[in-house]
Amino acid sequence: MDAPMRRLQAAIGGPDAMVTEFVRVTDTLLPPKVFYRLVPELQQEVCGYGHVPLTVQLLGSNPESLGMNAVRAVELGSRAIDLNFGCPAKTVNKSMGGAIMLRQPDSVYAAVKGVRQAVDSRYPVSGKMRLGYEDKSLALENAKAIEEGGAAYLTVHARTKVEGYKPPAHWEWIARIRESVAIPVVANGEIWTPEDYHRCREISGCARVMIGRGLVANPFLVEQIRNPEASRDTDVNWSRLQPYLLGFFEDVRSTIEERHVHGRIKQWLTMLGWHFPQAKELFQRLRTQREVLGVERELRRNLA
Ligand SMILES: Cc1cc2nc3c(=O)[nH]c(=O)nc-3n(C[C@H](O)[C@H](O)[C@H](O)COP(=O)(O)O)c2cc1C
């Protein structure tokens, strides 16, 4: 999630912990302003939201450079470092970052070890992997590489790179990985409802889960998981969401370039539309708007 979405999730009061979008690391030490742009929370006294810690995620393949940048992230205020071995984007895979590293467990090991050795042991280092690149044959080896590199825990997005974001997520593979390593494993992929959450925990055997799109599409999902009595009526929850939507618009408007605002709002409305039919309607109403003022007019006209 980006910063406006993290602020919204924190305001709604959902998750126990959050991780940033990846900060891409090549061969240089990134200047603080790059970290501050992607992770403005580093400028707060504590990087996070009350009891909800925020971990900075790095993506790269050069162990030395990852280590230097991890040290910088910690010096700037991150209390932990997560490493991305799952991103499917062509641009990052071309430069040997993200999911492509899963073809070479040695490179995964070296990246984790490079960061673990560079960063003071008070700060946990973790890894996030997919089940593989083309296939799942190296899944256990990669999980072990992350463990042996010194990770405190491992998050598994239960699909290969080639499987993209298509259902299903193979939660039974998370169980195999969990059984093959001693560090805690966090299960990830295709959790859209409280029922999915319970089934994922049951099948994977993991105590902890990480939720991506499901929480963006339904910001009340964590509340619904925690409290079976919480309303799941989309009319009720759409009304509750309206002030947050307007707040999100204001937040986005004040933090990103004006020409990108309409795209960001439409992106969230598209994802909200997976859960709320009302969001689909609203999307249709502002679909043709490209100016901030037009987007604002439609939002104010249609939201309380
Ligand atoms: C638009 C988008 C951006 C993402 N960016 C990141 C990222 O920066 N780092 C990361 O570890 N995962 C990223 N992911 C993957 C999610 O964290 C998650 O692993 C994946 O969506 C599967 O979980 P889900 O089915 O709950 O969404 C991204 C996913 C999407 C759709």
Side-chain angles (χ1 to χ4, degrees):
M1 292 172 187
D2 64 2
M5 185 53 66
R6 294 195 291 268
R7 284 191 279 265
L8 175 123
Q9 296 291 347
I12 290 182
D16 293 315
M18 293 197 269
V19 182
T20 67
E21 298 174 284
F22 66 77
V23 176
R24 191 168 169 197
V25 170
T26 52
D27 291 335
T28 56
L29 178 59
L30 295 166
K33 69 171 187 216
V34 171
F35 286 94
Y36 289 144
R37 182 167 51 76
L38 292 165
V39 195
E41 294 94 334
L42 288 169
Q43 282 163 300
Q44 298 165 189
E45 202 170 317
V46 175
C47 181
Y49 297 88
H51 295 296
V52 184
L54 175 65
T55 295
V56 171
Q57 186 185 69
L58 302 181
L59 179 150
S61 55
N62 177 334
E64 216 171 282
S65 178
L66 280 169
M68 280 187 318
N69 281 284
V71 168
R72 171 147 287 175
V74 163
E75 280 168 0
L76 294 176
S78 185
R79 287 176 285 168
I81 299 292
D82 191 49
L83 295 172
N84 181 318
F85 303 111
C87 182
K90 271 204 188 90
T91 43
V92 305
N93 284 188
K94 248 198 317 213
S95 55
M96 280 311 289
I100 201 152
M101 292 176 73
L102 299 172
R103 281 175 166 172
Q104 293 171 344
D106 285 353
S107 71
V108 170
Y109 168 79
V112 178
K113 195 166 168 69
V115 172
R116 182 61 286 168
Q117 282 180 335
V119 170
D120 189 293
S121 60
R122 278 177 298 162
Y123 302 100
V125 172
S126 54
K128 175 153 178 270
M129 61 177 273
R130 284 181 178 249
L131 296 177
Y133 193 84
E134 287 94 355
D135 61 44
K136 306 174 183 63
S137 58
L138 295 174
L140 302 185
E141 242 181 278
N142 277 307
K144 284 190 192 131
I146 290 174
E147 176 178 43
E148 282 162 17
Y153 71 93
L154 161 66
T155 305
V156 179
H157 174 189
R159 276 182 274 246
T160 61
K161 183 270 175 192
V162 169
E163 289 167 339
Y165 293 95
K166 281 195 291 289
H170 308 281
W171 295 331
E172 68 286 358
W173 266 91
I174 307 179
R176 292 183 64 179
I177 289 173
R178 185 183 53 73
E179 284 159 10
S180 73
V181 295
I183 53 176
V185 173
V186 180
N188 170 237
E190 287 308 303
I191 294 174
W192 299 96
T193 63
E195 291 73 27
D196 293 338
Y197 164 82
H198 291 295
R199 262 189 327 111
C200 175
R201 287 185 67 194
E202 201 178 295
I203 293 172
S204 67
C206 293
R208 295 194 286 169
V209 305
M210 181 236 151
I211 305 180
R213 295 162 304 161
L215 192 55
V216 181
N218 173 16
F220 302 112
L221 178 56
V222 173
E223 175 188 86
Q224 292 165 6
I225 288 170
R226 282 191 213 283
N227 174 14
E229 307 288 307
S231 176
R232 290 169 72 172
D233 182 309
T234 50
D235 285 331
V236 170
N237 287 332
W238 180 248
S239 300
R240 287 177 66 201
L241 191 61
Q242 299 201 2
Y244 293 108
L245 236 168
L246 287 169
F248 180 79
F249 166 74
E250 294 295 351
D251 194 353
V252 167
R253 171 153 76 173
S254 67
T255 48
I256 70 175
E257 271 183 67
E258 198 171 310
R259 67 199 164 97
H260 295 311
V261 170
H262 74 102
R264 189 68 192 82
I265 300 300
K266 288 172 191 168
Q267 183 193 31
W268 190 31
L269 281 178
T270 301
M271 293 179 81
L272 283 172
W274 299 339
H275 184 76
F276 293 100
Q278 299 88 338
K280 275 194 191 146
E281 276 173 41
L282 181 53
F283 178 87
Q284 285 307 327
R285 296 216 182 93
L286 55 73
R287 193 169 51 88
T288 54
Q289 301 294 337
R290 303 187 79 79
E291 306 296 331
V292 174
L293 288 178
V295 172
E296 180 176 23
R297 193 180 55 240
E298 287 305 321
L299 289 176
R300 296 205 185 280
R301 195 181 276 165
N302 291 284
L303 298 174

